[in-house]
Amino acid sequence: MKKKILIIESNYYPSISDALLDGAKKTIVESQFDYEKLTVHGVLEIPVLLEKYKNDYIGFVTLGCVIRGETSHYDIVTRISSESIFKIINTNKLAHGFGLLTVENFAQAKIRADLKKKNIGGVAAKVCLKMISLLKK
């Protein structure tokens, strides 16, 4: 049985996370891998699931969006979530695709999530698939 890729998505901005997820799923399925998806509300919860399931999947794709606001909350959330994710990935040598958008506004997020534009969900899945291949060597 082929191992699966785990997609962990934050759905704080549902229209953005849905588009990111569509891109990731399409790329993974086209590469003939299977996937499972877990959903959390915010990006700060992603590292908890990544740590919990680090030994159960062949690769991981993390998806979500943080949009800058009027306070320093954006800086705290982006720093803590990305540092925590990369600590887990690097410590455990996991195949991973980083699809967390950190943007100034909703319009930027829409462009980056759109399958016909930047398709960051698909890009993150491609990175994960490439890392799976490289880590097998």
Side-chain angles (χ1 to χ4, degrees), residues 20-126:
L20 290 168
L21 181 61
D22 287 346
K25 292 189 313 188
K26 183 176 187 296
T27 299
I28 292 168
V29 169
E30 286 173 355
S31 296
Q32 299 180 348
F33 277 82
D34 293 323
Y35 68 88
E36 290 184 12
K37 175 188 70 86
L38 295 175
T39 303
V40 294
H41 184 64
V43 299
L44 287 175
E45 293 78 33
I46 290 173
V48 175
L49 293 180
L50 188 57
E51 178 67 33
K52 177 176 176 54
Y53 294 107
K54 66 185 178 196
N55 297 316
D56 298 340
Y57 295 87
I58 195 168
F60 301 86
V61 177
T62 53
L63 304 173
C65 179
V66 183
I67 299 175
R68 186 177 301 278
E70 297 176 4
T71 68
S72 60
H73 183 73
Y74 169 90
D75 299 310
I76 293 166
V77 170
T78 56
R79 182 180 48 78
I80 290 172
S81 60
S82 60
E83 286 177 358
S84 299
I85 289 168
F86 281 98
K87 181 177 181 186
I88 296 164
I89 294 302
N90 290 331
T91 300
N92 296 285
K93 308 297 182 266
L94 302 175
H96 173 249
F98 187 77
L100 295 182
L101 305 180
T102 54
V103 296
E104 298 296 320
N105 54 57
F106 194 79
Q108 288 178 348
K110 282 185 69 168
I111 290 167
R112 284 159 178 75
D114 191 314
L115 272 69
K116 294 179 180 170
K117 294 184 180 168
K118 299 223 180 223
N119 190 17
I120 297 301
V123 171
K126 285 178 187 174

Side-chain angles (χ1 to χ4, degrees), residues 9-28:
E9 74 155 337
S10 161
N11 69 350
Y12 190 83
Y13 298 102
S15 64
I16 301 300
S17 61
D18 288 349
L20 290 168
L21 181 61
D22 287 346
K25 292 189 313 188
K26 183 176 187 296
T27 299
I28 292 168

